[in-house]
Amino acid sequence: MTHRQPAPAPTPAAGATPAPAAGAPRWAVRAAQAITLLTLPSGIWRLLLAAGLLAGYTEAGYVAAGIPGWGRVYTVAVSVGSELLALLALGLVRPWGEVVPRRMPWLGGRRVPVRAVTVVAASAAALLTAVWTPFALWWMLPHPDMTPLGATLVGFLYLPLIAWGPLLGALTLAYHRRLRGRGGPA
């Protein structure tokens, strides 16, 4: 009779979702995941513009928007930057939003200052709400630099961004309530 070695403990698959932070409510985890998706429609649209497609603009409107040339670099940077900022919302529901991962030089293993995160996230939530809420009125404004179909499409692509600020505000409140006794670094 041969002895079998015990099977190794399962490791998370490469595409597996990381575990949420202890005590993070399920709704908050889902909201953080949703935030990462809110910027995708408008980001993809901007990438199409950077690739040289009119994507709803008239030819004159495309040129007037400054997209040819350095405007392409700007539109790519805005798309990538928006998505990176949206991904930071995951820190409010993941362990790395409480303790810096050990693999990070100089800071690894240190607690994340809860008050600082709360102030920055709450400020970002207020700013995002102020910036994106006016897009609810997109269809009431004239867009002579766009085709009628393009203006309608862009309105729908930017519409999800209206939820970014309020969702981030709710996440920030949940983060603060969950970790409120841990104000500063350890």
Side-chain angles (χ1 to χ4, degrees):
M1 190 184 302
T2 60
H3 293 294
R4 289 187 169 183
Q5 291 186 5
T11 57
T17 304
R26 180 177 285 183
W27 70 263
V29 173
R30 298 282 187 254
Q33 292 167 342
I35 286 174
T36 66
L37 300 174
L38 294 175
T39 59
L40 285 178
S42 58
I44 291 169
W45 176 75
R46 284 189 300 272
L47 292 176
L48 291 173
L49 290 173
L53 300 173
L54 296 179
Y57 274 107
T58 62
E59 288 204 35
Y62 184 80
V63 172
I67 297 176
W70 283 103
R72 292 181 177 174
V73 174
Y74 172 78
T75 57
V76 169
V78 169
S79 294
V80 171
S82 295
E83 191 58 38
L84 290 174
L85 288 173
L87 287 169
L88 285 176
L90 292 172
L92 298 173
V93 296
R94 297 279 187 249
W96 57 267
E98 298 176 25
V99 177
V100 178
R102 294 218 177 267
R103 65 183 174 270
M104 297 295 291
W106 302 292
L107 298 174
R110 291 188 186 188
R111 281 184 173 179
V112 175
V114 176
R115 281 189 207 113
V117 170
T118 302
V119 168
V120 170
S123 300
L127 179 65
L128 289 167
T129 301
V131 167
W132 295 119
T133 300
F135 270 85
L137 304 174
W138 174 264
W139 292 277
M140 298 176 76
L141 303 172
H143 301 284
D145 53 345
M146 302 189 95
T147 66
L149 178 60
T152 301
L153 180 65
V154 169
F156 282 114
L157 294 176
Y158 273 79
L159 197 57
L161 294 174
I162 294 170
W164 190 358
L167 282 175
L168 183 60
L171 277 175
T172 303
L173 185 59
Y175 176 86
H176 176 74
R177 286 181 176 167
R178 183 166 46 89
L179 301 174
R180 74 174 124 217
R182 259 203 34 211

